[in-house]
């Protein structure tokens, strides 16, 4: 018999609900993005995000079931992102999930947001182990080793800013409107790598650091301004993107080689980055590594990925009761 997971994701500014069959089949997904509202403020405003989740969550759940032509009777279990993320936003999804689990007497399965990003790949192709996952989002930059389903060993990660965060900050400095990451990526493709920026934390560890690179961009922009010059935004975007993709690719490839792993998956919002996709595709072809990068719609926050991860968590017997609380930060496990 098939397992149908109804998944809820509200960790940031997307209200999303999805129904996933057997961890790999997307039956229906609804994503209500609040991006346009937050764009007026240049970033996500937590209070507004949680209020909008409250206004929309019931409608999004109903629409997801209607689109799937299903009722709650067809659902096996409810999966929900409990963290990490914005507490106020997480709580809305959590309350909705607990209410459904209680009323319809369904198992409640807690899902870590990053496990969701990783398992987005299972919607593209069944994961093959052992694998290395490069998780890059607005809040995370992690290299994770997985020897089997739901086993996460962190090899390294950022010591300061997450890569998406660095993108968003650099965007502001070069006058690119919110959301910065995708627009800097687009701009980078029309520019040239002309600025002398450092390759950050080019050492033997699996850690990353993006705050120095971000500061180097800020200093360059200020210095040029003081001289009465303007920087060329597309060239700055290209130079910044080149450093970021170089170091991410270099350390990821080294991890694959040193651990003798042949499967690489990339996850999180920054996996949508065209420059990085090109770079990794080329290197993986050269080194005979199987690379999976999800379609862009599965890279950014969505509930389909929570449903995919939720299926494996459900199969492993992971359950929560109604005391499940939201966590702003939590180790991936
Ligand atoms: O995974 P995600 O949707 O939310 C978090 O869990 O953080 O990632 C959002 C982050 C933002 O920082 C956004 O600027 C970045 O991913 N991002 C990109 C691109 N698309 C989204 N960064 C670089 N290039 C892109 N194409
Ligand atoms: Zn995310």
């Amino acid at each position: 018999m098939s397992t149908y997971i109804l998944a809820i994701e509200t960790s940031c500014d997307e209200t999303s609900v999805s129904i996933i069959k057997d961890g790999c089949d997307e039956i229906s997904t609804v994503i209500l993005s609040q991006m346009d509202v937050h764009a007026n403020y240049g970033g996500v405003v937590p209070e507004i995000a949680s209020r909008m989740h409250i206004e929309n969550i019931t409608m999004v759940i109903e629409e997801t079931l209607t689109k799937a032509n299903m009722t709650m009777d067809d659902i096996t279990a409810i999966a929900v992102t409990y963290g990490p993320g914005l507490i106020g936003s997480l709580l809305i999804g959590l309350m909705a999930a607990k209410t459904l689990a209680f009323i319809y007497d369904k198992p409640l399965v807690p899902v870590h947001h990053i496990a969701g990003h990783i398992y987005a790949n299972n919607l593209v192709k069944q994961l093959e182990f052992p694998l290395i996952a490069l998780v890059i989002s607005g809040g995370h930059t992690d290299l994770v080793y997985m020897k089997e389903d739901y086993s996460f060993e962190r090899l390294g990660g950022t010591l300061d800013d997450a890569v998406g965060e660095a993108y968003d900050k650099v965007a502001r400095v070069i006058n690119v409107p919110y959301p910065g990451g995708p627009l800097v990526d687009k701009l980078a493709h029309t520019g040239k790598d002309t600025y002398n920026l450092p390759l950050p934390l080019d050492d033997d560890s699996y850690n990353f650091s993006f705050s120095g690179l971000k500061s180097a961009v800020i200093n360059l922009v200020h210095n040029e301004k003081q001289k009465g010059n303007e920087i060329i935004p597309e060239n700055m975007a290209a130079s910044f993107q080149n450093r970021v993709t170089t170091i991410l690719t270099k350390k990821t490839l080294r991890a694959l080689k040193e651990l003798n792993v042949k499967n690489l998956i990339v996850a999180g919002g920054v996996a949508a980055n065209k420059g990085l996709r090109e770079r990794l595709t080329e290197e993986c072809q050269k080194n005979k590594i199987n690379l999976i990068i999800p379609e862009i719609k599965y890279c950014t926050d969505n509930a389909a990925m929570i449903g995919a991860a939720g299926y494996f968590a459900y199969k492993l017997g992971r359950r929560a009761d109604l005391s499940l609380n939201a966590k702003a930060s939590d180790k991936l496990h």
Side-chain angles (χ1 to χ4, degrees):
M1 213 173 81
S2 293
T3 302
Y4 291 93
I5 303 285
L6 184 136
I8 300 180
E9 155 65 43
T10 61
S11 67
C12 192
D13 61 340
E14 265 93 27
T15 316
S16 183
V17 178
S18 179
I19 296 169
I20 298 293
K21 180 183 162 194
D22 296 334
C24 58
D25 229 347
E26 186 183 12
I27 306 297
S28 76
T29 301
V30 176
I31 305 175
L32 206 143
S33 172
Q34 307 171 359
M35 186 122 73
D36 293 350
V37 176
H38 297 290
N40 295 322
Y41 305 92
V44 176
V45 183
E47 283 298 320
I48 295 177
S50 40
R51 200 176 321 143
M52 289 187 74
H53 285 310
I54 296 177
E55 286 166 10
N56 295 318
I57 187 73
T58 314
M59 183 181 70
V60 175
I61 293 168
E62 279 173 1
E63 203 180 317
T64 308
L65 284 163
T66 307
K67 255 177 77 179
N69 201 15
M70 290 170 88
T71 69
M72 284 305 295
D73 290 340
D74 304 311
I75 300 299
T76 317
I78 318 280
V80 62
T81 309
Y82 70 91
L86 301 171
I87 278 288
S89 293
L90 287 164
L91 281 171
I92 311 306
L94 219 55
M95 282 311 296
K98 284 190 209 177
T99 308
L100 288 176
F102 178 68
I103 293 175
Y104 295 100
D105 196 20
K106 306 281 178 189
L108 180 64
V109 182
V111 175
H112 191 287
H113 183 76
I114 299 302
H117 274 305
I118 290 175
Y119 274 91
N121 289 277
N122 204 65
L123 297 164
V124 182
K125 190 170 172 283
Q126 195 183 353
L127 299 187
E128 285 178 36
F129 301 99
L131 64 78
I132 298 242
L134 173 65
V135 184
I136 38 179
S137 72
H140 292 266
T141 309
D142 293 308
L143 260 181
V144 180
Y145 171 78
M146 291 177 75
K147 73 170 188 308
E148 59 193 6
D149 266 315
Y150 245 80
S151 123
F152 308 105
E153 188 192 323
R154 189 172 183 269
L155 301 172
T158 185
L159 302 177
D160 39 59
D161 290 354
V163 60
E165 192 182 351
Y167 261 96
D168 296 338
K169 286 180 182 164
V170 163
R172 234 172 276 167
V173 182
I174 61 171
N175 287 326
V176 170
Y178 177 86
L183 294 177
V184 171
D185 183 17
K186 217 168 158 189
L187 210 57
H189 278 80
T190 63
K192 286 202 181 85
D193 181 351
T194 56
Y195 288 102
N196 187 18
L197 295 173
L199 188 61
L201 204 65
D202 185 19
D203 65 3
D204 288 343
S205 76
Y206 292 129
N207 289 324
F208 300 97
S209 165
F210 295 105
S211 132
L213 178 59
K214 172 198 71 191
S215 301
V217 174
I218 294 172
N219 290 341
L220 251 168
V221 172
H222 285 177
N223 289 347
E224 287 301 307
K225 246 190 203 145
Q226 271 176 346
K227 286 190 223 153
N229 302 332
E230 288 291 329
I231 57 124
I232 301 165
E234 50 270 45
N235 288 357
M236 186 57 88
S239 307
F240 170 75
Q241 177 141 308
N242 230 342
R243 293 313 165 276
V244 171
T245 54
T246 299
I247 199 68
L248 286 175
T249 306
K250 188 172 176 183
K251 293 206 169 181
T252 305
L253 262 291
R254 185 156 56 74
L256 286 157
K257 219 172 256 173
E258 285 178 2
L259 292 159
N260 194 23
V261 174
K262 294 284 172 221
N263 301 298
L264 171 65
I265 63 176
V266 188
V270 185
N273 187 274
K274 230 176 115 205
L276 184 66
R277 283 172 173 256
E278 288 165 3
R279 199 74 168 256
L280 283 174
T281 306
E282 194 185 312
E283 286 298 324
C284 285
Q285 261 167 9
K286 246 195 257 165
N287 292 281
K288 300 201 167 42
I289 304 286
N290 304 315
L291 169 70
I292 315 179
I293 310 182
E295 286 171 56
I296 300 214
K297 67 169 179 171
Y298 293 136
C299 287
T300 47
D301 290 350
N302 64 83
M305 67 186 200
I306 303 302
Y311 168 80
F312 290 92
Y314 171 76
K315 286 286 172 195
L316 284 170
R318 294 202 181 198
R319 300 287 184 272
D321 61 22
L322 298 182
S323 67
L324 176 66
N325 209 348
K327 284 192 175 168
S329 61
D330 192 31
K331 188 171 166 270
L332 174 60
H333 65 280

